[in-house]
Amino acid sequence: MSERGQERLDGDEYVPDDYVPEDDTIIGVWVRRSLIAVAFLAVAGGAVYLLSTRAKEEAPEQAIETAAPEEVTAAAAPDVRFADVTAAAGIDFVHHNGGYGDKLLPETMGGGVAFFDADGDGDEDLVFVNSSSWPHRGSAGADPTMAFYLNDGGGTFTDATREAGLDVSFYGMGVAAADVDADGDTDLFFTAVGENRLFRNDSDAGGGKVRFTDVTASAGVAGADGEWSTSAGFFDADNDGDLDLFVCNYVRWSKEIDFELDFRLTGVGRSFGPPQSYQGTYPYLYRNEGNGRFADVSAESGIRVENPATGAPMAKSLALAPVDVDGDGRIDVLVANDTVRNFFFRNLGDGSFEEVGEEFGFAYDRNGNATGAMGIDSAYYRNDHNLGFMIGNFANEMSSVYVAQDDPAFFVDEAIGEGIGAPSRLMLTFGLFLFDYDLDGRLDMLQANGHIEDEIQKVDSSQSYRQAAQLFWNGGDEGFVPVEPAVTGDLASEIVGRGAAYADVDTDGDLDVVLTQINGPAMMLRNEQDLGHHWLRVRLVGRAPNTDAVGAWIELTAGGVTQRRQVMPTRSYLSQVERTVTFGLGDAASVDSLRVVWPDGSEQTVDGVEVDRLRVVDQS
């Protein structure tokens, strides 16, 4: 979440079990010593600086250092605008964080959004995650609920929250959607502060009515009441064909700990505390048992990482990217952690994982520091054999761009050389994804930005609470180009960005965007590109139990360029994108070949492919 580096307080104050001296920078140590001398007043003064320069875990001394590449200067991006069509689309969702002035940490972290086809009519519906009033405060009226909208196919949405049974209130964070019971429709899983929720889709096939039923208890996926879960994703972790569930957990938090720590800013008052001051947690891994039930296999699967100095849980996880990194046919998982090293869980093929983030180069940034990592995505964005990962980080930390070095087991952070480093440094990034917004055949990057502290500008003039999203155009060999706000239209609106997702909501072939913001209205942005580029959208229908074909690879060759995309809607921060895969073709008016590698390893060549349309491919 953040880059703030508040201090460990001794005496009667709360001290997290996973604290170790190596977690602090030199500045952090200085401030901690000043606490001893001037106690509470020093905490208030020091917090001002630490909101923008946070103590982070550092890599071991043996970490490889590389020379700093030069920032790329690339060609100009095309003129493509995004129009705010939120009201016209019928979307009136407003996120509520339950805040009442005490600035409890979860109040600045939600909430997610997901595109998925709830009613099986082929277009993308929407669900937004809301928070609620705090139980200890109560509510003066009706608590806010989740929000569900049905798409009419042309980009106009109807609020169907109550009819669908999603008018439920809890302190929600993120959302994941998948057909978990292999009945052909898409179910919903919500993460929360407290128990998580699974809703089974009980819609009538072809009946047009959507209804969800809470099956959390019978499915066994609630998790612990005292945990704070963030992003989640469905994928086949043990190669048995059905979809398992990975859930990120953030920090061990409670309002009592938050009040005891009592973080403050000089001239402002209470502020949101940093993750370093809270103990870490373990993520969850649930194995799909195939009968509507899941088994918690977190302990035996190898995903529980401990601080070697204390034995306490290390993870402070906010997002995940499931993808087969090493090409062995098994889905691995990169986990974005906040202020401690990122985890890379390599799939061993027997339902267990090995954490090898340091060995693969994912753990730290190019300077050997852990970052305030949040949103994440992965793709072969160079259209070559080198996979890349992008991670959004806290203010004064550039976004990370980990790229394979002609070796699927060796990645290097190339944020500067790719043109993303300097332009992203000042921003505080949450949602982040790769998508081809101009349909030229190269994946571009969008990141949703917004600070965590509403009065940050009072203490740091370089920062603002509301920040514009950033769009980076992929210029191929010339790297990424930050698109000027004057070009992007309403995408340049300053919001307190959090969740981000994309889909072709109006079925015109290009990708539209939804952004959420903390304690404010969502924003639907219609892609108004009119460049004349060709495109192809591919939707896979797999055999049960993986009817969504999650984990499949689609390889398309057109105009002498081969693009590879994975069917994996789990992307960004607390959010999920559409399952259909969009290929931009640029000037290529035909497709040379289209090949699918299904999750079970079988391959299928698709013939008779025509451009500028949706192609549905059933597993043969």
Side-chain angles (χ1 to χ4, degrees), residues 568-620:
M568 184 56 67
T570 300
R571 301 176 189 273
S572 190
Y573 169 77
L574 305 179
S575 301
Q576 182 163 305
V577 305
E578 67 172 350
R579 184 169 56 86
T580 302
V581 174
T582 296
F583 292 94
L585 305 178
D587 296 330
S590 62
V591 172
D592 300 325
S593 66
L594 183 67
R595 185 173 69 100
V596 178
V597 180
W598 295 94
D600 62 7
S602 63
E603 299 185 16
Q604 183 174 342
T605 299
V606 183
D607 298 320
V609 178
E610 299 181 50
V611 303
D612 300 335
R613 63 194 60 202
L614 169 69
R615 180 64 182 263
V616 178
V617 180
D618 293 288
Q619 187 171 4
S620 60

Side-chain angles (χ1 to χ4, degrees), residues 113-118 125-129 146-149 160-161 164-168 170 174-181 183 185-191 196-203 210-216 219 221 232 234 245 294 548 576:
V113 57
F115 282 110
F116 72 114
D117 185 2
D125 307 305
L126 261 176
V127 63
F128 292 95
V129 184
M146 310 302 114
F148 170 64
Y149 295 86
T161 307
L166 293 176
D167 54 336
V168 291
F170 51 91
V175 59
D179 180 10
V180 301
D181 51 5
D183 64 352
D185 51 30
T186 304
D187 312 295
L188 287 175
F189 178 79
F190 293 96
T191 63
N196 303 316
R197 308 286 183 91
L198 177 65
F199 288 83
R200 185 183 62 215
N201 191 333
D202 287 333
S203 305
V210 180
R211 184 73 186 177
F212 290 91
T213 303
D214 189 336
V215 294
T216 309
V221 293
F234 290 100
L245 174 62
F294 289 78
D548 291 337
Q576 182 163 305

Side-chain angles (χ1 to χ4, degrees), residues 26-96:
I26 294 174
I27 293 175
V29 173
W30 180 86
V31 176
R32 190 171 65 256
R33 290 174 179 170
S34 72
L35 284 172
I36 299 174
V38 296
F40 177 79
L41 292 178
V43 175
V48 174
Y49 178 78
L50 292 165
L51 269 168
S52 58
T53 305
R54 189 174 65 183
K56 297 171 284 291
E57 179 189 8
E58 296 182 354
E61 292 183 0
Q62 65 268 27
I64 298 173
E65 296 186 3
T66 58
E70 296 181 1
E71 194 82 33
V72 171
T73 301
D79 189 349
V80 175
R81 295 178 179 272
F82 288 81
D84 185 347
V85 295
T86 312
I91 296 171
D92 57 1
F93 172 76
V94 177
H95 179 265
H96 296 273

Side-chain angles (χ1 to χ4, degrees), residues 67 78 145 179 182 323 450 497 538:
T145 71
D179 180 10
V323 59
V538 181

Side-chain angles (χ1 to χ4, degrees), residues 193-354:
V193 178
E195 292 187 352
N196 303 316
R197 308 286 183 91
L198 177 65
F199 288 83
R200 185 183 62 215
N201 191 333
D202 287 333
S203 305
D204 294 330
K209 293 187 180 295
V210 180
R211 184 73 186 177
F212 290 91
T213 303
D214 189 336
V215 294
T216 309
S218 60
V221 293
D225 181 60
E227 290 288 3
W228 171 0
S229 298
T230 53
S231 295
F234 290 100
F235 63 96
D236 187 0
D238 53 4
N239 292 325
D240 65 351
D242 53 26
L243 298 179
D244 309 299
L245 174 62
F246 191 106
V247 182
C248 294
N249 288 318
Y250 189 33
V251 294
R252 187 62 49 81
W253 177 90
S254 69
K255 66 178 177 62
E256 290 78 16
I257 294 173
D258 206 319
F259 283 132
E260 187 174 3
L261 291 170
D262 198 26
F263 297 98
R264 294 182 178 270
L265 284 174
T266 301
V268 173
R270 278 273 298 179
S271 66
F272 296 108
Q276 296 97 317
S277 298
Y278 297 93
Q279 179 178 292
T281 56
Y282 297 126
Y284 299 138
L285 180 62
Y286 295 101
R287 184 181 64 223
N288 192 333
E289 302 287 73
N291 55 3
R293 297 179 181 272
F294 289 78
D296 187 343
V297 294
S298 308
E300 58 264 41
S301 66
I303 66 168
R304 291 184 171 180
V305 180
E306 297 178 347
N307 187 315
T310 65
M314 178 177 283
K316 299 179 180 182
S317 306
L318 289 174
L320 73 158
V323 59
D324 179 6
V325 171
D326 49 11
D328 61 1
R330 302 188 289 260
I331 295 180
D332 313 295
V333 185
L334 182 61
V335 174
N337 282 319
D338 190 359
T339 70
V340 298
R341 73 174 191 259
N342 298 320
F343 296 156
F344 176 58
F345 293 111
R346 181 169 57 188
N347 194 325
L348 300 180
D350 58 357
S352 66
F353 294 80
E354 177 187 20

